[in-house]
Each structure stands twice: as structure tokens, then as C-alpha cells.
Amino acid sequence: MVDKGAKGMLAMEEAGDASVSPGAGRGVNEWRRHTHSTPSVHPKMAAAQGPVDPSSPEQMSWRMISQPIHTGVEGTSHSLHPAEPGEAWAQGEAIPTRDITHEAYEDESENGFMPDEDHSLQRGNWGNQIEFVLTSVGYAVGLGNVWRFPYLCYRNGGGAFLVPYFVMLIFCGIPIFFMELSFGQFASQGCLGVWRISPMFKGVGYGMMVVSTYIGIYYNVVVCIAFYYFFSSLTSVLPWTYCDNPWNTPNCVSILENPNITKSTQPSAMLGNVSQALNQTLQRTSPSEEYWSFCVLNLSDDVGNFGEVQVHLLSCLLVSWVVVFFCLMQGIRSSGKVVYFTATFPYVVLTILFFRGVTLEGASTGIKYYLTPQWDKILEAKVWGDAASQIFYSLGCAWGGLITMASYNRFHNNCYRDSVVISVTNCVTSVYAGFVIFSVLGSMANHLGEDVSQVAEHGPGLAFVAYPEALTLLPIAPLWSLLFFFMLILMGLGTQFCLLETLVTAIVDEVGNQWILQQKIYVTLGVAVAGFLLGIPLTSQAGIYWLLLMDNYAASYSLVIISCIMCVSIMYIYGHQNYSEDVQMMLGFPPPCFFQICWRFISPTIIFLILIFLVIQYQPITYNQYRYPSWAEAIGFLMALSSVICIPFYALFHFRRTDGDTLLQRLKNSTKPSRDWGPALLKHRTGRYAPTIPPSPEDGLEFQPLHLDKAQIPMVGSNDSSRLQDSQMNTCMSLGNSEVPAPPSSTGCQGLPSRGP
């Protein structure tokens, strides 16, 4: 009996074969961890057969396949399935797999790192929980905290804006953040693999990938501009301080060269009449504005006029992508160490700039303007809409990054605590950055004799025009400029790391074979090179137009729709009770009732209202005085649609490939969880995911009848009969005392499907 079982379950994989799911490989690691230094042949088999040739199949490790074997159901492309209808595994036929445990452990040992019992060898985990928290903080805290929140705050009621802001954080931000973290951590998969929970909605994962691709392309261009400003600050006098540069126009007026000339004065002595004086003052441009438009961007006059690629920006873009690649070349092993600096040093810079800013003359004016409550605005729907959208976008929900980062967590990590800590940290950082920005802008407004609202801008203009000009008023201006732009670089890189890792993880998890796991560095390089090439048009003279177009459309409507569908599919298709049980199995306690209510009712409602608000309040995109043509707006809507359209297209594709005799049956089958849905490691597959077949006292290979109440939900046939073949397969292999998988010839395991390509 032992010999027959051994011949039936010995496994080795042909080169290039990808028939075993990633989850199966991870489930094996727990058993193989304790056997990597000993012969992998079962003791009984070794005794019966004598010495084993190292090149023989018997030398390959015994392997337990923790994930079930599928039979042609869509969504299980990496699982074993029939090559042709009617084919089946013959009794005693070997199931090909490949064991690379020894090499993996040798690599780990050489680096001085030996994973513990909760570690996935093939995929990896964070070195410790601090790395995950810092990476998530770096992902959530980005450029938007510096240039978007302060502007929205003073525009929507100052201190009064904080009320709807934190209300939206509590009822929408933290619950969605917790959902995404728990989603990725439970399945240990990226934004594609997690949709085994309901394969028909895998298009949501593809939509997240499309969104992350768009954002990753233009976000690194912003980082490259920050690099250029940083390099330009390595001088004794900032190049945007005076108007004596080749790119300056006659309208340029420096506040240092002409401190008495402001927008509110009329230099009538220089001009013949009052009207000419008024026209001259209205045309006044600052040297920082002209440096931005005519030197850095060399801006063209139209979005369709690309002009020439700016070599200085292209060079900085290359530097930016090289930095990102080298920080991610070893996956989370390398990026997890880099974030100790990139996620913490911006707070050091913010603190330095804060204490420098609040000591400036006029700083209190800016801070007062920033925080003075305008309680009448709190009743406006627009204020609440801006608060909800800012919470939603600043936390990075529906980008796929949160799911990806959490997928590298230990299974029992308290992601509930992490979600609260990271979300609150992100929002407090936004408020803190507002003090830094407006203290300096208040000093600038005081120097010019203007209102703060006249010097504050939104978007890139705040980070690359208004604030740099304010820095010229400070003693040792290049030092403060270096610190400020270095902070922007680190904030941008923290977000960019996660965006790139999201795409790489999704690709690797989707392919899932040993080859791509070993070649992950080349996948990372390929994605980085593609991102660099796609970003080249954004370094042209029309680049800023396209950057803002992508920022306004690629990550607005689509994010709202994707997030709403994610909530609905998990709560109402998979079931809120099932998901709560999954979270309880993972954390040891169910999600708090407040979060369950938010997931089911409050958060989807808020997200839906945000979508309605965006549609009602839609305004054509503009850049300064330039209004985008209709064809450019159409391209913007196509970018937004390109991510959302993945959802219905993939749902239709999956529906057409799903078994069922009626439309209703096919719909039910296509939305049910895949057989390999659940924790990745075998030791965590408890409860309804647990193997229920105890080993025989004699040899560990005897099987008991299948427990249907713990089996995965079966496919529904035309006569409501249960297709239990896959469910039986889920229990045909388990660990006994000898930790040897049972052969296909065991009871209940007849007619196993043949392996497909």
C-alpha cells in the first residue's frame, strides 16, 4: 500500500510547467521547512526501496498540495485541470511538481535570515511589522498632503473643514482602509489573486492595476521635477530669486529687487497714466512662476503641441526610475529597509520647516487664515464632498497598493490596529503640513502686503511656484529649498514604491510559477523600463498638460466606482457573515460592529454620493488661463473608462466560461469563491478551510468520508445535484502524523482530473 501511494503522489515538475497554483506552493512550505536538511523520501518508502539515486524521481520531496485541484472553472488558471474533457489521473500516476526548497533555504541562510513558521518562502513577508507600517505610511502620505489638503482646507471653511474631514475619515476612510488590508492579508495575494473570493469580479483587480499604471507614470514625473528643483537648489542663490535670467520676461518683478512694487501698487511715476499702471501691475509675474513655466517646463501653448523633450527633465526622470528600481529590486526585502528613511525623514524636514516658519514675521496671519472656522460653509454639500474625496484619495484606497502591501503580512498580524494607526497618521500629517505651508505663505503675504488667498495656489503651483518664492525670503534660502524638495522627493518615492510593487506583485501572483518567482527582479526591471518610456511624453513642452489630465481623470471617477463595487461584491456577493468569519479566523476577533455597518451601508453610500457629487459639480479642466479642448477631455474620460470597463468585460468573459445549464446557475457558479480561496499556508487553513481527513493509525494514508458541511461550495448542476469532484479533491491530500500526502487511489479520490497545460 505504501509503495502504491508513493508512486501515486511522488511529484516533480517538467521545466516551464505552471500547473500548481501559487497558494499550493505556499501551503507546502510549512511541512518542507522541517525537512530541508534531511532526505525527502518517506521513511517507509526508503526502508522498502533501499538507497535512492539522487537523480531519481524518488529523491524529489513528498509534497502536500494544500489548494484543491480544479476542473476547468475560470479563475483557476494556475490549478490542475483536465487537458481534455474526460481525461483523468490514473491510479498511481505521479502529479508533476517541483521542489526548490533546498535552494530557497540556502539563499535565506546565506543572508543571515531564517524565516519563522509563519513565513512564506516563495513569496516572502515583511522583515517585521514596522516595515509594513512605515511602507503604508509612505504610501498614504504623499504629495497630495502638501499641495492639496492645505488648499482645500482654507478654501472650504478653514478650521470648519476639519469637521467633515474627520467625519469622513471615521465613516469611510478607516473602514475601507481596514477592508483592503484584511482582504490582502487573509489571502496573501495581490490585487488580482484576492479575487478568488468571487472570480467574476476579478475585473476589479485589473481596474486597480490600470489605475496604478496611470498614477505610477505621471507620479514619477512629479518626483523627477522635485529632483530637478533639488539639484537647482545646490547653489548660493536660488535661480528663481531674481529676474536677470535668460528665461525671464519684461513682466517679471522680484519681491527682493523691487520690494515696494506689489499687485496692489500703481507705479505711476514710471508710466504715463493710471490705466497703463494698472495694466502693468496686473501683468506682474514672479521669477518663480517664470522659472517654472519657461525654464523647467518650457511650456507650449497647447496640449497637442508636444514640442521638444526637455533633456533636463528626461535625465531626472531616469534618475527617479533608477532609484525606484534599486529600492525595489529585491522586492519588499529591499524596500522594507529603505522606508526606514524615506517614511520618517519627511517628518524631520516638516518639523524643521515648521519651527522655521512659525518664527517668521506674518506667520500667524497665514496660520489664522488656514484654520479660522467659517461655520456657514459647513452646511454646503461641496465642502462635504471635498472632504470625502480628499480622505478617499489621500489614503490610496482602490489603487491596489493597500491590498498588495498587506499581502506580505504575517497571517495573524493585527491589521485592524494598523489601519487605524496609518489612517490617523496620514490625516494628522496633512493638517501638520498645512501649518508648515501657510506659516511661510503668511510671511510672504505680509511682505507683499496682500491677502493670503492671493499667494496660495492649488496643485503643482503651490509646491513649485508659491512656496519656492516664499523660500527666497528666508535667510540661507538654498538650505530651506534643499530640505523642502528633498522632503517632496521622499514623499513621492514612498508612494511610487507601492505603485510599482502593486503591478509587479499582481503579475507575479497571476503567473504564479517557479520561474517567474525566481525572475521577479526582471519583472520589476521591465515594469520600471515601461514606466520610464511611457513617462517620456510628459517631459515634453506639453507634458504638464497631460500630467494634470491624467491626475484629474485617471484617479477620480474610476477610483470611486472601483471602491464601491469592491464593497458590494465582498459584502453582498461573498457575504458579510463569511467575511467576518474570515477576519475572526485571522485576527482572533470579528470586525467591530461599527465597521460591519460601515462596510454594508455607510461607506458604499458615501462613495456613491461622492460619485454623484463629482458628476454634478463637474467642470472642464483648465491650467491657469488655458482651457483644455474637448478632444483632450474626451481622452481624459477614456482613461477613466479604461479602468472601469475592465469590470464588466471580465465579468462577461468569466460568465461565458463558467459551467451551468441555465443562466441563473452559471451566474451563481461564477460568483462563488474559487476552491483555492482562503489562507495561503496550510497551517492557517482552519475552520471551514481545514482538511478533515485524519491519517490512518497504520500508515497515515487512510481516508475517511468527506465532511460535506466543511467542503467548499459545490458547483450547481441542472438537477441541483452537487458536483463534488472538486470538493473531494480538496480533501484527497492532507498531512498525517508522517506528513505524507494520500494517493489518488484512496477512498473518495477516484477519477482525479488530468493536468492541463
Side-chain angles (χ1 to χ4, degrees):
M1 180 176 179
V2 174
D3 291 342
K4 184 178 180 180
K7 293 179 181 178
M9 293 305 297
L10 283 174
M12 66 180 183
E13 184 176 20
E14 301 296 337
D17 182 42
S19 60
V20 179
S21 69
R26 287 190 298 273
V28 174
N29 292 332
E30 177 60 24
W31 173 73
R32 293 191 295 187
R33 179 176 298 107
H34 305 289
T35 61
H36 71 279
S37 61
T38 61
S40 55
V41 181
H42 189 266
K44 294 185 179 181
M45 176 181 154
Q49 298 181 356
V52 181
D53 189 289
S55 62
S56 67
E58 285 77 3
Q59 181 61 27
M60 304 305 293
S61 294
W62 285 67
R63 183 169 183 172
M64 195 290 299
I65 303 180
S66 63
Q67 308 292 356
I69 303 174
H70 301 280
T71 56
V73 180
E74 171 59 17
T76 60
S77 58
H78 310 304
S79 303
L80 301 175
H81 61 280
E84 297 294 339
E87 292 185 0
W89 285 106
Q91 294 186 16
E93 184 179 350
I95 303 176
T97 57
R98 182 179 176 86
D99 190 352
I100 61 168
T101 307
H102 304 300
E103 298 109 298
Y105 268 111
E106 288 173 1
D107 294 341
E108 297 286 357
S109 301
E110 289 175 1
N111 295 327
F113 174 80
M114 184 62 69
D116 60 22
E117 294 184 354
D118 196 22
H119 190 83
S120 173
L121 281 181
Q122 293 183 349
R123 199 168 185 275
N125 290 98
W126 296 107
N128 56 65
Q129 203 52 33
I130 296 177
E131 294 182 5
F132 166 69
V133 173
L134 291 178
T135 301
S136 300
V137 168
Y139 174 65
V141 176
L143 300 175
N145 297 75
V146 175
W147 74 32
R148 194 169 192 264
F149 174 82
Y151 175 85
L152 289 178
C153 191
Y154 91 80
R155 189 186 72 177
N156 290 294
F161 179 73
L162 298 179
V163 174
Y165 183 73
F166 282 103
V167 168
M168 292 299 174
L169 171 67
I170 295 173
F171 288 98
C172 187
I174 297 179
I176 298 299
F177 202 93
F178 178 37
M179 172 181 281
E180 293 203 25
L181 291 189
S182 59
F183 196 18
Q185 180 174 307
F186 182 80
S188 296
Q189 289 286 301
C191 61
L192 291 182
V194 291
W195 288 103
R196 294 168 182 164
I197 192 174
S198 186
M200 189 175 185
F201 291 92
K202 191 176 181 179
V204 174
Y206 285 109
M208 291 178 175
M209 285 189 64
V210 173
V211 169
S212 292
T213 300
Y214 285 136
I215 298 175
I217 292 172
Y218 78 78
Y219 208 89
N220 225 21
V221 174
V222 179
V223 175
C224 93
I225 296 175
F227 265 113
Y228 181 74
Y229 269 85
F230 176 81
F231 295 142
S232 299
S233 300
L234 297 171
T235 180
S236 57
V237 178
L238 295 175
W240 57 86
T241 303
Y242 301 107
C243 296
D244 55 355
N245 302 289
W247 57 79
N248 291 128
T249 68
N251 293 327
C252 178
V253 178
S254 171
I255 58 178
L256 292 180
E257 290 179 321
N258 302 280
N260 296 322
I261 298 180
T262 68
K263 293 181 180 179
S264 60
T265 61
Q266 298 179 357
S268 56
M270 300 172 57
L271 302 173
N273 52 59
V274 175
S275 62
Q276 289 180 335
L278 183 60
N279 290 334
Q280 177 66 24
T281 56
L282 290 177
Q283 293 175 1
R284 182 259 179 186
T285 57
S286 66
S288 63
E289 183 178 354
E290 293 196 350
Y291 181 77
W292 164 253
S293 299
F294 304 135
C295 178
V296 178
L297 302 178
N298 194 12
L299 194 64
S300 66
D301 58 353
D302 185 72
V303 64
N305 182 14
F306 283 90
E308 299 177 350
V309 171
Q310 304 303 296
V311 178
H312 55 279
L313 291 183
L314 182 63
S315 303
C316 290
L317 181 63
L318 178 61
V319 170
S320 181
W321 275 111
V322 168
V323 171
V324 171
F325 169 72
F326 277 105
C327 290
L328 285 175
M329 62 185 301
Q330 296 298 328
I332 61 171
R333 291 187 185 179
S334 54
S335 66
K337 303 301 182 289
V338 173
V339 294
Y340 280 103
F341 178 74
T342 60
T344 57
F345 194 74
Y347 289 96
V348 176
V349 178
L350 276 176
T351 302
I352 295 174
L353 294 176
F354 171 78
F355 284 107
R356 183 66 187 97
V358 296
T359 58
L360 295 173
E361 182 181 359
S364 59
T365 303
I367 295 175
K368 181 179 179 181
Y369 191 90
Y370 169 51
L371 292 179
T372 299
Q374 302 175 35
W375 296 110
D376 56 318
K377 289 191 174 183
I378 203 172
L379 299 177
E380 297 180 9
K382 185 177 184 301
V383 175
W384 289 83
D386 282 351
S389 61
Q390 175 62 15
I391 284 290
F392 190 78
Y393 301 139
S394 66
L395 291 178
C397 297
W399 291 12
L402 298 178
I403 295 175
T404 301
M405 296 302 104
S407 71
Y408 294 104
N409 275 338
R410 313 288 171 159
F411 183 76
H412 295 295
N413 170 64
N414 191 347
C415 58
Y416 168 68
R417 172 202 59 204
D418 295 341
S419 63
V420 176
V421 170
I422 297 169
S423 300
V424 173
T425 300
N426 172 73
C427 296
V428 171
T429 302
S430 296
V431 177
Y432 188 38
F435 284 97
V436 175
I437 297 297
F438 275 89
S439 61
V440 177
L441 294 182
S443 175
M444 179 180 177
N446 179 73
H447 186 89
L448 292 173
E450 297 179 343
D451 190 79
V452 179
S453 61
Q454 300 300 315
V455 297
E457 297 186 42
H458 178 212
L462 178 60
F464 298 117
V465 177
Y467 201 82
E469 183 175 13
L471 292 175
T472 61
L473 301 175
L474 304 181
I476 322 179
L479 172 63
W480 307 113
S481 181
L482 282 172
L483 288 175
F484 177 72
F485 288 109
F486 189 54
M487 177 188 69
L488 290 186
I489 291 171
L490 295 181
M491 285 184 167
L493 289 177
T495 302
Q496 191 68 21
F497 290 159
C498 294
L499 290 170
L500 184 63
E501 185 63 35
T502 296
L503 299 176
V504 173
T505 299
I507 295 171
V508 172
D509 284 351
E510 183 69 4
V511 177
N513 57 32
Q514 296 294 342
W515 179 85
I516 199 167
L517 287 170
Q518 296 172 350
Q519 306 299 325
K520 185 176 179 180
I521 185 175
Y522 297 106
V523 178
T524 305
L525 177 61
V527 174
V529 170
F532 169 73
L533 295 177
L534 292 173
I536 291 178
L538 301 184
T539 63
S540 66
Q541 292 180 255
I544 191 64
Y545 296 125
W546 291 98
L547 189 150
L548 294 177
L549 189 71
M550 297 176 71
D551 184 47
N552 277 271
Y553 289 96
S556 56
Y557 302 94
S558 54
L559 287 180
V560 176
I561 297 173
I562 290 173
S563 185
C564 187
I565 294 178
M566 180 182 67
C567 286
V568 172
S569 61
I570 295 177
M571 290 294 102
Y572 294 99
I573 304 300
Y574 179 64
H576 73 279
Q577 187 62 38
N578 290 333
Y579 194 73
S580 297
E581 292 176 1
D582 290 344
V583 173
Q584 182 173 7
M585 183 176 71
M586 179 173 61
L587 302 183
F589 57 88
C593 292
F594 171 75
F595 282 83
Q596 296 188 45
I597 294 173
C598 287
W599 287 345
R600 296 181 65 190
F601 307 110
I602 300 178
S603 297
T605 301
I606 291 176
I607 295 172
F608 183 71
L609 292 177
I610 294 174
L611 179 61
I612 295 178
F613 168 78
L614 290 173
V615 173
I616 294 177
Q617 298 292 328
Y618 172 77
Q619 294 180 350
I621 182 175
T622 60
Y623 176 67
N624 293 336
Q625 304 302 319
Y626 175 78
R627 179 171 178 175
Y628 283 68
S630 56
W631 64 266
E633 292 186 44
I635 293 178
F637 279 112
L638 288 176
M639 284 192 292
L641 184 64
S642 63
S643 56
V644 176
I645 203 67
C646 295
I647 302 174
F649 275 12
Y650 187 86
L652 181 61
F653 169 77
H654 179 79
F655 178 79
R656 290 173 59 89
R657 299 185 61 182
T658 303
D659 293 336
D661 298 322
T662 66
L663 290 177
L664 182 60
Q665 289 169 1
R666 294 174 67 182
L667 182 62
K668 289 181 179 179
N669 292 337
S670 62
T671 55
K672 287 178 180 176
S674 297
R675 304 316 197 273
D676 51 359
W677 162 250
L681 297 181
L682 175 70
K683 62 176 291 186
H684 300 140
R685 297 184 76 89
T686 59
R688 65 178 183 272
Y689 301 102
T692 59
I693 310 302
S696 168
E698 179 182 356
D699 54 20
L701 297 176
E702 182 178 340
F703 276 77
Q704 305 298 327
L706 178 68
H707 292 263
L708 296 180
D709 57 332
K710 294 186 179 181
Q712 293 294 326
I713 301 173
M715 282 291 186
V716 179
S718 58
N719 298 318
D720 294 332
S721 61
S722 298
R723 299 181 182 178
L724 297 178
Q725 183 183 21
D726 287 343
S727 297
Q728 291 171 347
M729 288 292 296
N730 194 29
T731 60
C732 287
M733 302 173 186
S734 64
L735 290 175
N737 293 331
S738 61
E739 298 184 350
V740 179
S745 58
S746 300
T747 304
C749 298
Q750 301 295 332
L752 302 189
S754 174
R755 179 176 55 133

